[in-house]
Amino acid sequence: MTYPEIIAHIFQSFPMYHRIGSAAYKEGLENIEQLAEMAGHPEKKIKTIHIAGTNGKGSVAHLLASYFQELGWKTGLFTSPHLIDFRERIKINGKEISEKQVVDFFDKYQEKMAKITPSFFEMTTILAFDTFASEKTDIAIIETGLGGRLDATNILSPILSVITNISLEHTQMLGNTLPEIAVEKAGIIKKNTPVVIGEYHPETFPIFEEIAKNKNAPLFLAEEYIGDLQLSGTYQRKNIGTFLKCVQVLKEEGRKKKEEISPSNFEGVPEGRGSLYKNIIHTAIQNLFKNTGFAGRWQIISQTPLTICDVAHNPAGIALVMAQLQEFPHRNLHIIMGFVNDKDIDEIVPLLPKNATYYACQAQIERAMPAEKLFQKLSLANLNVLKISNVFNAYNEAKQNADKNDLIFIGGSFFVVGEFLKKNDTSG
């Protein structure tokens, strides 16, 4: 099959959580273990950092990937979901894997996978691990898909585990309370392996402490960064703090093992090279987009009027983004928004600014919340809202209504942002 045929096939044949929701969620590691055996256990051939969390794990993953690329390491990056093209999920040194690599993998394993019947994410995970092993990456930064304990990525033995933060999301699968969700995320903590917690919460941190202690895993807590390192979005201070703590822990572990920078071993900036360390940190952040193709997080599309998109899609993430929108000088605020159908809008609506014009839209996926439903919810909250189902049509309407001093925001889900970016890219 050709690459377009394979992409059409996997979207049709493999249950995909981000498109159809919980019906695609497969609990347990049996499938991924069978897939790993099928592929010759590529997860045992790669050095990895494993990242879980409710929000921020994508940002931290990209920051770490940029850092290792600045060190000169051949760096794999596995994230989800994609915004425009499937291959965004699997990158090496910031470049999406080739169409040929996807085709070759399916030519080799399609019949065996059909007998295992994996989910879309399980299939994508083993493709990533197999590619990183074949390409002999020096390090691979791996983001969980959902949860941690039973996530398909959790067959790894990483050199560092990271849990960015915990808030209520996917409660039908992970639990209805923060402690329950924390237990699931803490499933990535491994024996004798350091773990960085990105954010302190009194309900969840004791759980991480107990599990880490039982596994003899050194536990470290990050602090929100306040300094001169810049990344678009003030809410990224927490993610920069987590990233910096990860680098610090890696350096300390490297010193304990008396190892220096080398793709063949666990890194740490050698003694006496502090200025190099600081320069690498700065350039990793400065070159984040160039190094990794980082997109969809407080991404500025246009300056006149100022147009920003962000994939924040749960109450905790949206609260941060809405607060930052209000900090930007603007005359009028236009918010183009759409969600997936299982999102609890009643928790989100109170977080939305009253002084904005809303454009209720929906992404062209099965799981999208109908624009009419969102329109009704926003109307009941006495918000000024228009219903324009098509994402890009909603943007064009907002752009027509806005003057040069206004602010336009596009968000609510990965799929709304992805559709917008795809159309905006092809429209020039």
Side-chain angles (χ1 to χ4, degrees):
M1 288 192 293
T2 65
Y3 175 74
E5 289 172 337
I6 285 173
I7 293 302
H9 171 71
I10 64 177
F11 283 166
Q12 293 168 5
S13 302
F14 296 92
M16 185 178 180
Y17 175 82
H18 284 94
R19 290 189 177 272
I20 66 174
S22 58
Y25 180 62
K26 293 193 175 183
E27 188 173 279
L29 300 177
E30 181 179 352
N31 278 358
I32 192 65
E33 288 170 348
Q34 290 184 52
L35 291 170
E37 183 175 357
M38 170 197 79
H41 289 286
E43 79 283 1
K44 296 181 179 179
K45 303 172 185 176
I46 53 178
K47 185 176 294 182
T48 60
I49 295 173
H50 199 194
I51 306 176
T54 304
N55 292 307
K57 59 183 183 289
S59 296
V60 173
H62 282 80
L63 283 164
L64 284 167
S66 183
Y67 171 73
F68 280 104
Q69 286 174 235
E70 291 293 334
L71 285 175
W73 288 38
K74 189 173 187 179
T75 304
L77 177 62
F78 178 52
T79 59
S80 62
H82 61 270
L83 289 170
I84 298 174
D85 188 281
F86 167 78
R87 293 175 298 126
E88 293 170 30
R89 295 167 177 258
I90 307 169
K91 297 180 180 180
I92 297 176
N93 285 349
K95 304 295 183 183
E96 299 169 7
I97 63 171
S98 68
E99 294 182 359
K100 183 177 185 303
Q101 286 172 302
V102 178
V103 171
D104 289 348
F105 178 84
F106 272 86
D107 284 346
K108 186 175 182 179
Y109 293 121
Q110 185 175 353
E111 289 186 11
K112 292 181 179 179
M113 285 196 295
K115 296 177 182 177
I116 298 172
T117 63
S119 70
F120 177 93
F121 187 73
E122 289 167 336
M123 176 278 302
T124 308
T125 298
I126 202 62
L127 169 60
F129 292 175
D130 185 71
T131 303
F132 296 152
S134 298
E135 291 291 323
K136 295 181 171 58
T137 55
D138 299 317
I139 191 76
I141 316 301
I142 309 295
E143 177 189 347
T144 61
L146 177 65
R149 182 175 64 92
L150 299 175
D151 189 78
T153 61
N154 204 30
I155 58 173
L156 294 170
S157 296
I159 60 172
L160 176 69
S161 302
V162 186
I163 302 173
T164 55
N165 56 39
I166 302 293
S167 61
L168 291 175
E169 189 183 31
H170 305 304
T171 53
Q172 68 272 35
M173 289 164 284
L174 301 181
N176 294 310
T177 67
L178 292 179
E180 287 176 328
I181 296 174
V183 169
E184 293 301 314
K185 304 285 186 183
I188 71 166
I189 298 175
K190 300 297 191 300
K191 289 183 178 179
N192 305 314
T193 302
V195 55
V196 170
I197 307 300
E199 185 177 315
Y200 176 83
H201 192 286
E203 291 186 58
T204 61
F205 193 71
I207 291 170
F208 298 141
E209 284 185 308
E210 181 180 358
I211 292 174
K213 181 179 179 181
N214 291 339
K215 295 188 176 183
N216 196 35
L219 182 72
F220 302 89
L221 177 63
E223 297 179 6
E224 182 173 318
Y225 175 76
I226 300 176
D228 62 348
L229 298 175
Q230 298 297 319
L231 187 62
S232 294
T234 56
Y235 67 87
Q236 293 283 18
R237 288 194 298 251
K238 292 182 179 179
N239 296 325
I240 291 178
T242 303
F243 160 63
L244 293 175
K245 177 59 72 171
C246 290
V247 172
Q248 180 187 1
V249 171
L250 292 172
K251 289 174 79 256
E252 290 173 354
E253 292 295 313
R255 287 196 186 102
K256 287 178 186 177
K257 298 181 181 183
K258 297 182 180 179
E259 295 172 347
E260 297 190 355
I261 298 176
S262 168
S264 65
N265 57 35
F266 186 33
E267 79 90 25
V269 175
E271 297 295 341
R273 295 179 66 181
S275 60
L276 172 61
Y277 158 71
K278 291 179 182 178
N279 287 337
I280 290 172
I281 291 290
H282 277 269
T283 54
I285 294 175
Q286 183 180 10
N287 297 333
L288 179 64
F289 183 80
K290 183 180 75 173
N291 285 345
T292 69
F294 188 59
R297 279 79 167 182
W298 205 257
Q299 184 174 348
I300 295 176
I301 305 300
S302 172
Q303 293 288 349
T304 309
L306 181 60
T307 303
I308 298 168
C309 67
D310 194 283
V311 296
H313 57 281
N314 54 46
I318 287 174
L320 291 171
V321 167
M322 292 299 119
Q324 183 161 344
L325 279 177
Q326 298 287 51
E327 293 176 6
F328 269 67
H330 60 270
R331 182 180 176 188
N332 297 304
L333 179 58
H334 304 262
I335 297 180
I336 300 159
M337 191 161 274
F339 295 94
V340 292
N341 205 24
D342 54 358
K343 192 65 62 180
D344 188 351
I345 296 300
D346 293 334
E347 291 187 8
I348 291 174
V349 170
L351 305 173
L352 302 177
K354 301 290 186 182
N355 59 335
T357 299
Y358 290 86
Y359 302 77
C361 65
Q362 68 187 78
Q364 301 305 301
I365 60 167
E366 182 179 347
R367 192 181 163 213
M369 176 179 292
E372 175 64 29
K373 179 179 177 180
L374 177 58
F375 173 80
Q376 292 175 0
K377 290 282 188 180
L378 298 181
S379 296
L380 286 172
N382 295 317
L383 296 174
N384 180 24
V385 55
L386 305 173
K387 183 183 69 174
I388 306 175
S389 296
N390 180 278
V391 173
F392 207 74
N393 288 348
Y395 167 66
N396 284 332
E397 180 73 13
K399 191 164 62 171
Q400 183 174 335
N401 293 340
D403 71 21
K404 64 180 182 179
N405 296 316
D406 287 359
L407 172 56
I408 300 174
F409 176 80
I410 304 108
S413 85
F414 274 88
F415 302 106
V416 167
V417 172
E419 278 190 23
F420 169 76
L421 290 176
K422 184 175 183 178
K423 182 71 174 178
N424 192 57
D425 181 60
T426 56
S427 299

